[in-house]
Amino acid sequence: MKILVVGTGAREHALVRRLSQDSIPHDLHAAPGNPGMEAHAAIHDVSLGDSAALTALALELGIELVVIGPEAPLVAGLADDMREAGLTVFGPSKAAAELEGSKDFAKRIMSEAGVATARSMTVADPALLEAALDDMNPGGSTPYVVKADGLAAGKGVVVTSSREEALAHARDCLASGAHGSRVVLEEYLDGPELSVFCVCDGERAVPLVPAQDFKRAFKGDEGPNTGGMGAYSPLPWLDENAAMNATVESIAEPVIRAMRERGTPFTGLLFCGLAATSEGLKVIEFNVRFGDPETLVVLERLGSDLGELLQAAATGDLASVPDLAWRDESVVAVVLASEGYPLAAQTGREITGLDEVGEEGCTVIHAGTERDSDGTLRSSGGRVLSVVARENTLEGARVRAQSAIARVLLEGSHYRTDIAERAALGAIERVTQL
């Protein structure tokens, strides 16, 4: 099958790499791609924001399946443009992508569908912020949770015990207008967080195994929110199959039904960011694409053909797909970030040591990398690359990933040394209420 993966980051590299491992060989292409994808796919230098050029490329190549990776082109309507041109696309329409494009919209859909989520309030008027925040956090109860309504590359959320910091973030969001003209204030959900991806064909949902990611920049969950600094799977504190079933039955299927009844069926990947609360699973957020870094560990465990699964979803035929097979090993991914990330990332610096990561038995997944004209690999973004390790035990995978990422040399870079540590030590209380 001729497949085009659209995107430049770690998510897309992981998709391309996993598609290259399917039992039936594919003719793989990526646009714009990154240096890590070159080993598996033909790279096409077409701007991620140029819908017409991407569509023309897919038609010229005779692409049989387009997989759109990032959220921005989905929210902008790239899937619609490509479908109108007669292409088969894995990814939601512009209308359906509002589940990620607007947190307020997602809250309204959850209310319609009867999906459990945090109590919330949407505010557009700065004069109403203080009263709304106090209503959401009576008596100064904390943490405060403030979310930009629109897309913010994983960095539009502030969870803080400081009322002043919460108000400042809310005011900044409203004043900038960069992420929508509203903010969503929420109650804080207790319990460990997890991510469950559901592959959807507009009628059904097929769940992938859960993962847990780490949003804060530094060890011990310190520092600002990022797009994610690492992930692991499986979660030893969770009944994996029970969580997958509960997500489909109480979250994904009701949402798919609500979207279909609105006339905006959801086809693609529904990312369910969840909290395992004392009252059961509750939705923290929805995304409408594979998440990074969770995708890196989830796809590493997948034992079935990925191309078959994505094509079946894109053509409304998930009922024909056999039950997915999963590897029992534990997988840990650790993200290497540029100096200054996430506030002011320093880019353009040389990266070396990747061959030594391979010698450690680990995989490098590229995110923010590029090559000079002379072939030198350099950083080009905040999250530069990830090291992925698979082992029989979670502790083994964690130790191997930490050992391997230390071999990568990038001036000023940083990474977390505690990815999966608490889970490996058994420090997370087992979840029993789903």
Side-chain angles (χ1 to χ4, degrees):
M1 182 163 46
K2 273 196 169 185
I3 303 175
L4 171 65
V5 176
V6 176
T8 64
R11 161 185 45 239
E12 291 78 35
H13 183 188
L15 285 164
V16 166
R17 177 175 175 272
R18 184 60 190 79
L19 286 165
S20 74
Q21 298 170 344
D22 279 0
S23 61
I24 301 174
H26 302 301
D27 181 2
L28 297 175
H29 299 260
N34 69 38
M37 302 182 204
E38 294 169 351
H40 312 292
I43 305 302
H44 303 272
D45 186 16
V46 179
S47 171
L48 190 57
D50 193 336
S51 178
L54 289 168
T55 301
L57 173 68
L59 292 171
E60 178 186 340
L61 293 171
I63 294 297
E64 296 167 90
L65 176 66
V66 180
V67 181
I68 302 174
E71 61 273 25
L74 288 168
V75 171
L78 176 59
D80 303 79
D81 295 342
M82 288 186 155
R83 288 191 179 104
E84 288 174 8
L87 294 162
T88 299
V89 181
F90 180 80
S93 66
K94 179 177 181 177
E98 274 296 277
L99 281 172
E100 180 169 0
S102 169
K103 291 179 174 61
D104 176 72
F105 176 80
K107 285 290 188 181
R108 286 186 277 123
I109 291 294
M110 282 185 267
S111 178
E112 290 178 18
V115 170
T117 186
R119 186 172 68 93
S120 69
M121 185 179 301
T122 300
V123 181
D125 184 349
L128 302 178
L129 274 176
E130 290 201 47
L133 195 68
D134 291 339
D135 180 68
M136 194 56 55
N137 299 79
S141 59
T142 57
Y144 297 90
V145 180
V146 181
K147 300 180 177 181
D149 180 50
L151 297 180
K155 298 185 282 290
V157 178
V158 162
V159 180
T160 178
S161 59
S162 167
R163 182 176 183 274
E164 290 71 25
E165 183 182 356
L167 277 173
H169 178 65
R171 287 170 176 152
D172 286 347
C173 290
L174 293 181
S176 70
H179 311 302
S181 58
R182 299 171 295 191
V183 292
V184 177
L185 311 179
E186 289 187 356
E187 67 173 342
Y188 177 74
L189 295 178
D190 67 328
E193 296 183 10
L194 63 146
S195 302
V196 179
F197 301 158
C198 292
V199 177
C200 308
D201 68 358
E203 297 277 344
R204 318 166 183 78
V206 173
L208 308 188
V209 291
Q212 185 180 62
D213 80 325
F214 295 76
K215 290 288 190 227
R216 298 284 189 170
F218 307 121
K219 181 178 180 180
D221 287 332
E222 297 291 335
N225 269 353
T226 72
M229 294 297 292
Y232 69 96
S233 180
L235 316 181
W237 43 268
L238 184 75
D239 183 324
E240 189 166 79
N241 289 325
M244 293 160 71
N245 292 336
T247 300
V248 168
E249 293 170 8
S250 64
I251 298 168
E253 286 184 344
V255 166
I256 291 170
R257 186 163 52 249
M259 294 295 286
R260 187 172 64 246
E261 290 171 353
R262 278 176 163 253
T264 54
F266 188 93
T267 299
L269 197 289
L270 181 64
F271 173 137
C272 302
L274 310 172
T277 76
S278 56
E279 298 174 339
L281 294 179
K282 292 187 178 183
V283 176
I284 299 171
E285 66 175 355
F286 286 136
N287 294 326
V288 297
R289 36 68 190 183
F290 283 96
D292 173 13
E294 297 99 324
T295 298
L296 281 58
V297 296
V298 170
L299 293 187
E300 187 71 15
R301 293 187 58 203
L302 180 63
S304 302
D305 281 0
L306 178 61
E308 177 188 20
L309 175 66
L310 301 186
Q311 186 186 45
T315 56
D317 194 27
L318 278 176
S320 69
V321 176
D323 290 344
L324 300 181
W326 297 99
R327 299 187 178 98
D328 291 331
E329 294 105 319
S330 292
V331 183
V332 173
V334 181
V335 174
L336 184 79
S338 295
E339 180 180 2
Y341 177 77
L343 301 179
Q346 303 298 307
T347 60
R349 295 175 178 174
E350 184 177 1
I351 306 165
T352 60
L354 300 194
D355 289 342
E356 296 183 37
V357 173
E359 292 171 5
E360 291 264 1
C362 296
T363 300
V364 174
I365 301 294
H366 291 239
T369 66
E370 62 184 8
R371 290 196 187 278
D372 282 351
S373 57
D374 65 0
T376 300
L377 188 68
R378 296 189 182 277
S379 60
S380 63
R383 291 186 297 170
V384 179
L385 57 83
S386 295
V387 170
V388 182
R390 191 172 83 204
E391 265 287 0
N392 290 329
T393 66
L394 185 58
E395 177 64 9
R398 189 187 75 80
V399 169
R400 175 168 285 191
Q402 292 294 332
S403 175
I405 201 168
R407 303 289 194 101
V408 182
L409 300 179
L410 171 62
E411 181 188 352
S413 62
H414 63 95
Y415 58 89
R416 284 185 58 162
T417 59
D418 61 343
I419 302 299
E421 183 176 48
R422 293 186 67 245
L425 294 173
I428 301 177
E429 185 177 348
R430 185 163 182 82
V431 171
T432 57
Q433 182 66 39
L434 293 171

